[in-house]
Amino acid sequence: MPDTRLAAATSEVQVQKLQLKNSHVLCPCPQLTAYWTPPPSWVRRACCCETISKMSPFGFSVFRDAKTCCIFIGLILLTYYLIMDIILFMRFKTVDIVEDSKAGAQDELYSPFTHLSVKALMNDHTSQYIISPSAEYFDTITQFSTRFSFITPNIISFTHLFLGFLSGKFVASENLHDRRVGVVIFHIRTWLDAFDGVVFRSQSGTHLQFQSVRATLGYYVDTTCDALGGVFLCFGILFYLWKRFDKPELPTWTKAQEAASKTGLLTNGHTTSGRETYSKKYLFWKVFCYGLCLACAGKFWDLTVGDFKEIFQTPLKDPKLSMLQFELCHSTTTVILFYLWRIVEGQALLQYILIPIIIDKIWEFLNYTQYILLFIIVGLYLICLLYIRHLRTTLGL
């Protein structure tokens, strides 16, 4: 048994050395060689990824499989999101977002159920119930935005832009542990993306007012860094797929690796004998389709939020029109459209693609969502355009 483990470890080291040696040759774009080469292995060792993967979470053998563990955690999150959504929309029925969307007192604690706005109601679940609360409470406890007032939201935006690039490099690795480290880094990037908004609201005196301030430098910096973060992640996925499906120089599956897999050792390579291969253009098209979904979801969501905000958060002087505005805002059609955008907005799609990266099913995920997801996003946006036109006509806007 020790000899088998040693042989497997030696074989894996040889594979990694050969990957590093041939990376300059394999990289289709020499300018991106630094992005193509494997990340340092000390990161996954420092994070104890390889040790944790062999342990049984929660002390039960049923959770030894990463997929099963993700399903269990996913069910817990779905239950949590459902309960929070029920509370959120029950309160939404009783409030007028024209008044409720205004800024709160500087010492007021954050709650996902107060200071509701169109943007908050159309925000994805993870950002609404996990990322934003943690960022708000962190700033409340540490007083970061006031104690470190020299750190501007733009500085934080550039920081999470760098983390997005770093995450993509880890996701591009052929080692599953490296890709999982990349997911963790990307989650940190997402948290900083929310935190720059917290700092901006605190420093601008608009505490707890969740709305985009357009036509400002900070808005364009933030949106650009967000978009580039998604681009870096997509390039990481693309490079990983290129390595996985087009690497003839790498050695085939050895007997030592096969023996290691039988003994329960986690291996990170894919067999090169009898495996499926695809052209780089085909793989690029697969990733490009999902990147297009991300771009469309982010842009269409932003435009829809702006239109709904103009309709539902604009004070109307006529009492009858104001009452009609309240009724239309709380109508079943409006609530359904709000909720659908919560599911398919850009940040939600980024969260979705991180899950198959963790369980090593990214190729299957891209195949399942290649066209249907884009059809859903475009269809939802077109329906919203028609509905927004109807609202403007009804309210005389």
Side-chain angles (χ1 to χ4, degrees), residues 66-86:
K67 181 179 178 181
T68 306
C69 186
C70 285
I71 292 175
F72 177 76
I73 296 175
L75 290 175
I76 294 178
L77 288 177
L78 286 176
T79 304
Y80 169 68
Y81 292 158
L82 180 61
I83 295 174
M84 298 292 279
D85 276 343
I86 293 174

Side-chain angles (χ1 to χ4, degrees), residues 41-236:
S41 60
W42 64 265
V43 179
R44 64 174 180 268
R45 294 173 182 171
C47 296
C48 302
C49 290
E50 298 180 357
T51 304
I52 294 175
S53 64
K54 300 174 185 178
M55 298 173 61
S56 175
F58 313 110
F60 299 101
S61 59
V62 69
F63 296 114
R64 287 187 181 275
D65 180 60
K67 181 179 178 181
T68 306
C69 186
C70 285
I71 292 175
F72 177 76
I73 296 175
L75 290 175
I76 294 178
L77 288 177
L78 286 176
T79 304
Y80 169 68
Y81 292 158
L82 180 61
I83 295 174
M84 298 292 279
D85 276 343
I86 293 174
I87 300 174
L88 175 69
F89 283 96
M90 285 183 64
R91 184 181 183 277
F92 170 62
K93 288 183 177 180
T94 63
V95 300
D96 184 0
I97 62 174
V98 174
E99 297 297 328
D100 201 55
S101 60
K102 295 180 179 179
Q106 198 65 26
D107 58 346
E108 182 179 352
L109 289 177
Y110 169 84
S111 170
F113 312 122
T114 59
H115 297 280
L116 297 180
S117 63
V118 169
K119 184 177 181 180
L121 292 168
M122 294 175 62
N123 205 13
D124 69 286
H125 294 84
T126 304
S127 298
Q128 179 84 2
Y129 300 133
I130 296 179
I131 297 176
S132 291
S134 62
E136 291 283 353
Y137 292 140
F138 175 81
D139 186 63
T140 300
I141 295 172
T142 63
Q143 297 295 313
F144 181 92
S145 58
T146 54
R147 292 180 179 178
F148 302 95
S149 57
F150 60 91
I151 299 181
T152 64
N154 289 343
I155 294 177
I156 300 176
S157 296
F158 287 122
T159 302
H160 72 64
L161 173 64
F162 169 75
L163 289 180
F165 174 84
L166 188 63
S167 172
K169 180 174 176 61
F170 276 86
V171 170
S173 173
E174 293 177 275
N175 190 295
L176 179 59
H177 302 308
D178 286 336
R179 297 198 294 276
R180 288 173 176 172
V181 170
V183 170
V184 174
I185 296 175
F186 197 85
H187 274 299
I188 298 174
R189 185 220 73 88
T190 305
W191 188 88
L192 287 176
D193 183 26
F195 188 64
D196 63 11
V198 174
V199 173
F200 169 77
R201 289 188 291 271
S202 176
Q203 295 180 352
S204 62
T206 56
H207 182 56
L208 301 180
Q209 188 175 26
F210 299 94
Q211 59 184 21
S212 299
V213 183
R214 302 172 186 272
T216 60
L217 176 62
Y219 172 79
Y220 291 112
V221 169
D222 185 50
T223 53
T224 302
C225 291
D226 289 349
L228 289 177
V231 170
F232 291 148
L233 180 65
C234 288
F235 266 105

